[in-house]
Amino acid sequence: MNIFKPDVVIAIGGGSVMDAAKAMRLFYENPEMSFEEAYQKFLDIRKRVVRFPKINGVQLVCIPTTSGTGSEVSPIAIISDAKTGIKHTLCDYALTPDVSIVDDQFVQTLPKRLIAWSGFESLGHAIESYVSTMATDFTRGWSLEAIKTIFANLKKSYDGDLDARKQMHDAATIAGMAYSNAFLGLEHSIAHTVGSTFDIPSGVSDAIALPQVIRFNSKRPEKLAMWPHYSVYRAESDYADIARAIGLTGSSDDELVEKLVQKIIDLAESVGIKMAYKGYGVDKAEFDKKVDELAVEAYGDQNTVTNPSAPLISQIVQLMKDCYEGKGIVDNK
Ligand SMILES: [Fe+2]
């Protein structure tokens, strides 16, 4: 970029390609900004201590070729530190692309397994943004629309239906719009840390963590998340709303949440996802050795801040172990 001096950067590819383009544009325009500065954590994106400089020279156009990350509309770039292997979340509205082109011709020949994985990445975005402490009535509409579309179309798209694939492509961006404003939660913190450490594709690690985190969040929390707009715990009834929106019925919120969890598990299994980390060649001894450290990392992950239940590190350790074993999923069958 320094040699060519572009006016426009066009990123065409999956999430990593678009994230790389965002970071490249940021550091190209602001060579004095350091990577360490860029990934500093914050409570509220709109009241950050480290401010990103405005980007005004180079336009960024994003064209997604998978239907999952939502990066084409998000203010987020996930960049791994090559030295430590830690995935850092760079997040500031200065990173948002100027234009995104969401065209399903780029996903018509997507391999089946990528359809499954990226579909679950979108579902994770849509569900987590719906219950996030920063969700509002403006963002919940997007989250819910994406959730309904994904449940109605993921299996069909996986089986080769091209119209369903278009719907999935749009849903991924709609979910991206939701989480760009409402952000995510603990499922992402766990999926990022475990997934990057043990090389599990991100949509798969999202799928595995999703039911466990929903069950965890739907229990009245020991510690309420620290967020002024979220003074009253409502995650359980939010999950129940999601269940109703996709046509599930039940006589209590409790029952609806468990039905939603089962529906997620069934959908994942119908598209070939194994719902435990141990199903992806993760060695038990290695996992046990690293789990404490991973839980600390997940606790500090930017996504944990907006989770409706503030977890203790010991609870994250337990959740990660449950994800490893597929607790309440694999042993049910
Ligand atoms: Fe994600």
Coordinates of all heavy atoms in Angstrom, one line a residue, residues 68-69 78 121-122 124-125 179 184 187-188 192 202 206, ligand 1:
G68 N -21.3 -15.4 6.7 CA -21.1 -15.7 8.1 C -20.6 -14.5 8.9 O -21.2 -14.2 10.0
T69 N -19.5 -13.9 8.6 CA -18.8 -13.1 9.5 C -19.5 -11.7 9.8 O -19.4 -11.1 10.8 CB -17.4 -12.8 9.1 OG1 -17.5 -12.0 7.9 CG2 -16.6 -14.0 8.8
I78 N -10.7 -8.8 13.6 CA -10.0 -9.8 14.5 C -8.7 -10.1 13.9 O -8.6 -10.7 12.8 CB -10.9 -11.0 14.7 CG1 -12.2 -10.6 15.4 CG2 -10.2 -12.0 15.6 CD1 -13.3 -11.6 15.4
E121 N -21.9 -19.3 12.4 CA -21.3 -18.1 12.8 C -22.4 -17.0 12.8 O -22.5 -16.2 13.8 CB -20.2 -17.8 11.9 CG -19.3 -16.8 12.4 CD -18.0 -16.6 11.6 OE1 -17.7 -17.5 10.8 OE2 -17.3 -15.6 11.9
S122 N -23.2 -16.9 11.8 CA -24.2 -15.9 11.7 C -25.3 -16.1 12.8 O -25.7 -15.2 13.4 CB -25.0 -16.0 10.4 OG -24.2 -15.8 9.3
G124 N -24.8 -17.4 15.7 CA -24.2 -17.0 17.0 C -24.3 -15.5 17.1 O -24.7 -14.9 18.1
H125 N -24.0 -14.8 16.0 CA -24.1 -13.3 16.0 C -25.5 -12.8 16.3 O -25.7 -11.9 17.1 CB -23.7 -12.7 14.6 CG -22.3 -12.9 14.3 ND1 -21.8 -12.9 13.0 CD2 -21.2 -13.2 15.1 CE1 -20.5 -13.1 13.0 NE2 -20.1 -13.3 14.3
Y179 N -25.0 -7.0 15.4 CA -23.9 -7.0 16.4 C -23.0 -5.8 16.2 O -22.2 -5.5 17.2 CB -23.2 -8.3 16.3 CG -22.1 -8.5 15.3 CD1 -20.9 -7.9 15.4 CD2 -22.3 -9.4 14.2 CE1 -19.8 -8.0 14.5 CE2 -21.3 -9.5 13.3 CZ -20.1 -8.9 13.4 OH -19.1 -9.0 12.5
L184 N -21.7 -8.6 21.2 CA -22.0 -10.1 21.3 C -21.9 -10.5 22.8 O -22.3 -9.8 23.7 CB -21.0 -10.8 20.4 CG -21.1 -10.5 18.9 CD1 -19.9 -10.9 18.1 CD2 -22.4 -11.2 18.4
E187 N -20.5 -16.5 24.4 CA -20.3 -17.6 23.4 C -19.1 -17.3 22.5 O -18.2 -18.1 22.2 CB -21.6 -17.8 22.6 CG -21.5 -18.8 21.5 CD -21.1 -18.2 20.1 OE1 -21.9 -17.5 19.5 OE2 -19.9 -18.4 19.7
H188 N -19.0 -16.0 22.1 CA -17.9 -15.6 21.2 C -16.6 -15.6 21.9 O -15.6 -16.0 21.4 CB -18.2 -14.2 20.6 CG -18.9 -14.3 19.3 ND1 -20.2 -14.6 19.2 CD2 -18.4 -14.3 18.1 CE1 -20.5 -14.7 17.9 NE2 -19.4 -14.5 17.2
H192 N -13.8 -18.0 20.4 CA -12.6 -17.4 19.9 C -11.4 -18.0 20.5 O -10.4 -18.4 19.8 CB -12.5 -15.9 20.2 CG -13.3 -15.1 19.2 ND1 -13.6 -13.7 19.5 CD2 -14.0 -15.4 18.1 CE1 -14.3 -13.3 18.5 NE2 -14.6 -14.2 17.7
S202 N -14.1 -21.4 13.1 CA -14.8 -20.5 14.0 C -16.3 -20.8 14.0 O -16.9 -20.8 15.1 CB -14.5 -19.0 13.7 OG -15.2 -18.6 12.6
D206 N -18.3 -21.8 17.4 CA -19.5 -21.0 17.8 C -20.7 -22.0 18.1 O -21.4 -21.9 19.1 CB -20.0 -20.1 16.7 CG -19.1 -18.8 16.6 OD1 -18.7 -18.3 17.6 OD2 -18.9 -18.4 15.4
Ligands
FE1 FE -18.2 -14.2 15.1

